[in-house]
Amino acid sequence: MNDINIRPVILAGGLGTRLHPRTLHLPKPLLPINGRPLLWYALNLLNRVDIKRPIVSIAYLSNLIKAYFEREDVTFMEFTGCSMAETMIRISETDDSFSFLGLSSDVLITNDAVDIILQDYINSNYNNSVLFTKLPIPGHKKWEFRIENGFLTDIIVRETKTNFERILLILSKDSLTRIRKFLGESISESSLPKELINYQTGWTLLLKVLTILNIKIHARIIELPIWNINTPNDFGGAEKFVKENIELFGSFQP
């Protein structure tokens, strides 16, 4: 499947402040789940599909991450002080890939998720694509994703938390270029237009801008279990989730 020219990008540069004191001396991507670091599971997802070598964006305690994964077939790029959206666009500006598969290092998902979105991407004639799943209980976000006729048409900020979560997305280089033209240089909370501040500066902001620009985003809600690592209380459930839902493909052994 590598002929579709997709570059996987794993965002792993956060400070992990909600996980203090665990992340005071260890970056969030290295926090262990069943003996393997969080970032390992994102790389494990990609080891079973034939696409390009992944890029992992890092910042906080980056030397520890690079040392731990020095034998893995990945490219590390450092983006200190950059928002998630800015990081993704900068990577697209320096890479010649046609599209980019976006993953977060702190979200555990089942192995078939990458297969599903790659097939959706192909079936939609290589359009931007995004997968959502319905959580069993409301998460910590307040975004309502509106999907009509198989395409994402808008994202609305709600008063209450929602139980829908983005899993994976594929964005074309052209779409990311158009987002850059719309938002300008160095995307940060302070640089955003007032009407976009509530969308923060990550994946959701990118998707929201695409809807504003009327750029097609193929979208689908599927029943797929995921587990987010946001607080110290999430680790016990994460270990159970891995045992029940994730098949291990990676060659790297901690």
Side-chain angles (χ1 to χ4, degrees):
M1 199 176 285
N2 58 359
D3 59 326
I4 58 177
N5 196 9
I6 288 181
R7 177 76 67 189
V9 177
I10 304 172
L11 298 186
L15 297 175
T17 53
R18 286 180 292 182
L19 292 169
H20 283 179
R22 295 181 186 221
T23 49
L24 290 175
H25 304 289
L26 194 69
K28 187 175 181 180
L30 292 187
L31 293 178
I33 304 293
N34 287 354
R36 291 181 171 87
L38 267 172
L39 178 56
W40 188 93
Y41 291 99
L43 294 173
N44 180 67
L45 281 173
L46 300 171
N47 277 330
R48 63 191 301 273
V49 294
D50 187 19
I51 54 179
K52 285 186 166 184
R53 176 189 179 106
I55 291 174
V56 179
S57 72
I58 52 178
Y60 177 61
L61 297 178
S62 59
N63 288 339
L64 295 180
I65 299 173
K66 287 190 288 187
Y68 197 93
F69 289 98
E70 64 179 353
R71 287 179 288 169
E72 285 289 275
D73 187 25
V74 303
T75 298
F76 287 103
M77 298 181 69
E78 295 196 39
F79 294 93
T80 303
C82 289
S83 66
M84 291 172 60
E86 177 67 21
T87 295
M88 191 70 180
I89 292 176
R90 285 194 186 186
I91 289 173
S92 73
E93 290 170 339
T94 59
D95 194 285
D96 62 359
S97 300
F98 183 80
S99 293
F100 299 85
L101 169 64
L103 304 89
S104 298
S105 63
D106 57 356
V107 180
L108 298 169
I109 55 179
T110 56
N111 298 98
D112 54 347
V114 174
D115 288 326
I116 292 170
I117 195 167
L118 288 176
Q119 197 57 58
D120 279 1
Y121 174 72
I122 295 169
N123 292 342
S124 66
N125 196 28
Y126 306 102
N127 272 308
N128 299 310
S129 299
V130 59
L131 285 182
F132 301 99
T133 192
K134 187 175 182 180
L135 304 173
I137 59 174
H140 66 286
K141 299 173 182 176
K142 298 183 179 181
W143 295 312
E144 175 186 338
F145 303 103
R146 295 187 176 177
I147 299 173
E148 297 177 11
N149 300 318
F151 289 91
L152 181 69
T153 59
D154 204 358
I155 304 174
I156 305 298
V157 179
R158 292 180 41 170
E159 293 281 331
T160 57
K161 297 176 181 178
T162 57
N163 59 348
F164 286 90
E165 178 74 72
R166 175 203 52 78
I167 306 172
L168 295 169
L169 78 169
I170 296 175
L171 300 180
S172 71
K173 183 182 183 74
D174 178 69
S175 293
L176 290 165
T177 298
R178 293 174 69 178
I179 292 173
R180 168 68 85 197
K181 290 179 179 178
F182 182 83
L183 292 178
E185 298 298 320
S186 191
I187 301 166
S188 64
E189 290 186 5
S190 62
S191 70
L192 290 180
K194 183 178 180 180
E195 63 272 17
L196 291 177
I197 290 175
N198 289 332
Y199 294 93
Q200 301 177 2
T201 55
W203 302 119
T204 303
L205 174 66
L206 297 177
L207 292 172
K208 176 64 177 180
V209 172
L210 291 180
T211 66
I212 293 172
L213 296 174
N214 293 315
I215 297 174
K216 284 186 175 181
I217 313 161
H218 180 271
R220 187 152 63 104
I221 298 172
I222 60 175
E223 294 292 331
L224 195 70
I226 69 169
W227 194 270
N228 287 300
I229 307 296
N230 295 306
T231 70
N233 295 331
D234 295 329
F235 282 87
E239 293 185 356
K240 181 180 179 182
F241 179 90
V242 166
K243 290 177 181 177
E244 294 178 351
N245 296 286
I246 295 183
E247 185 179 355
L248 305 182
F249 292 92
S251 59
F252 180 77
Q253 296 296 322

